[in-house]
Amino acid sequence: MASTETTDTTAGSPVEGGAGAGLGGLEAGLDALEVSDTGRTPFRQTFTGKILPPVLAIAVVLVVWQALVSFKIVDDPAKLPAPADVWGEVRDAWLQGKLLGYIWTSVSRGLLGFLFALAIGTPLGLLVARVKVVRAAIGPILSGLQSLPSVAWVPPAVIWLGLDNSMMYAVILLGAVPSIANGLVSGVDQVPPLFLRAGRTMGATGLRGTWHIVMPAALPGYLAGLKQGWAFSWRSLMAAEIIASSPDLGIGLGALLENGRNASSMSMVFEAVILILIVGIAIDLLIFSPLERWVLRSRGLLVKS
């Protein structure tokens, strides 16, 4: 009998030991999943993963562009200038001290107008998201304004405000505010009700609940609205500069594009188009991409930047 008990006890030990070891391994595995790799990414990996692909894409575009010109596939310089001709336009503008002026005129207007749109669209979006009567009254209007082409606002803005910077800012606001507001409304709609109930339980109501609970939880949708709002701001500004060009307004990138069309200079047109594209990419890389990475890291969705 004693032998049997000893055997049972001995037989049970490996089972208990195995279970303990299994649970210990599982716990260690879960702990490993929660550990973030905060080490710096090697430059070689960054270069091959983030720098080299766009550089190769640009190189392919330039090669194809040059091939279309060199092999006379498009043999009319008035339709497709050579890359060297466009580079010559950029170099001449730089040597004349005008290139940075073109860029700064448009960028300063675009960023200032976007800040105005941010100051208006954010409280408007919160109001629409949190007040049912306001949503029923204004929500469809915001959606309609968002789908309206921004170029449609240029003629009335010129008539109302004249050919000055206030007209430019009005067009930017009308193009960007609906996108920012709708993005925030979408983000607030996706906040789990449990968060709101927990916030009320801890006393986070009213403005305090909006600041500490609603806005952080709605941040992904809000950020998407900001990106779309900037895109609408930039496109609205370019439309305004093209249509309402005036010497009193200075020469921005949109006006440069229109000047190239008036002069029948495709090199100048391509110069303006490329500069507009570069500015749009630069704003995204310098402002919105870091914000997106920060939001993803704060939610544990991105380990390495």
Side-chain angles (χ1 to χ4, degrees):
M1 185 68 179
S3 175
T4 305
E5 291 178 356
T6 304
T7 303
D8 292 341
T9 303
T10 306
S13 297
V15 176
E16 294 177 358
L23 291 175
L26 178 61
E27 183 177 356
L30 292 175
D31 290 341
L33 288 176
E34 294 178 355
V35 175
S36 307
D37 185 4
T38 57
R40 185 179 297 274
T41 303
F43 175 76
R44 180 178 180 181
Q45 182 178 346
T46 302
F47 178 79
T48 57
K50 296 183 178 181
I51 300 177
L52 187 59
V55 170
L56 290 177
I58 293 173
V60 170
V61 171
L62 290 176
V63 168
V64 173
W65 182 2
Q66 184 61 52
L68 292 174
V69 175
S70 299
F71 293 106
K72 305 297 182 181
I73 299 175
V74 180
D75 57 355
D76 187 357
K79 294 182 179 179
L80 183 66
D85 296 334
V86 178
W87 173 249
E89 287 284 348
V90 175
R91 183 187 57 196
D92 292 343
W94 172 262
L95 294 177
Q96 294 170 10
K98 297 179 179 179
L99 183 63
L100 294 181
Y102 298 151
I103 297 173
W104 175 246
T105 298
S106 293
V107 170
S108 60
R109 283 176 183 158
L111 290 178
L112 186 57
F114 178 73
L115 290 178
F116 289 152
L118 183 63
I120 296 173
T122 300
L124 180 61
L126 284 174
L127 192 64
V128 172
R130 304 290 286 171
V131 182
K132 293 182 179 180
V133 176
V134 177
R135 171 176 289 203
I138 301 180
I141 297 176
L142 286 177
S143 299
L145 290 175
Q146 187 175 359
S147 63
L148 184 68
S150 55
V151 68
W153 291 113
V154 178
V158 171
I159 296 174
W160 293 335
L161 302 172
L163 287 173
D164 56 19
N165 282 323
S166 61
M167 177 272 299
M168 300 282 185
Y169 296 135
V171 174
I172 292 174
L173 289 176
L174 291 168
V177 167
S179 296
I180 295 174
N182 282 330
L184 183 52
V185 170
S186 176
V188 172
D189 288 344
Q190 296 176 27
V191 176
L194 180 61
F195 289 6
L196 302 179
R197 290 196 296 268
R200 286 193 296 267
T201 301
M202 293 184 292
T205 58
L207 292 177
R208 181 179 297 178
T210 299
W211 179 255
H212 292 287
I213 304 297
V214 176
M215 286 299 293
L219 197 55
Y222 182 45
L223 182 57
L226 292 183
K227 286 189 66 174
Q228 191 176 48
W230 164 252
F232 274 91
S233 296
W234 190 237
R235 287 189 292 181
S236 300
L237 177 61
M238 293 300 103
E241 288 185 350
I242 291 172
I243 296 175
S245 59
S246 169
D248 296 335
L249 293 172
I251 301 178
L253 297 177
L256 179 65
L257 183 62
E258 179 65 10
N259 290 343
R261 185 190 71 83
N262 292 332
S264 298
S265 173
M266 282 302 295
S267 298
M268 187 180 296
V269 169
F270 269 71
E271 174 194 13
V273 170
I274 292 172
L275 290 176
I276 292 170
L277 181 63
I278 289 174
V279 170
I281 294 174
I283 295 295
D284 181 74
L285 292 178
L286 295 176
I287 297 178
F288 293 108
S289 290
L291 283 175
E292 283 184 328
R293 289 196 298 269
W294 175 74
V295 170
L296 291 174
R297 279 198 301 267
S298 67
R299 283 159 170 74
L301 300 175
L302 182 66
V303 175
K304 291 184 179 181
S305 59

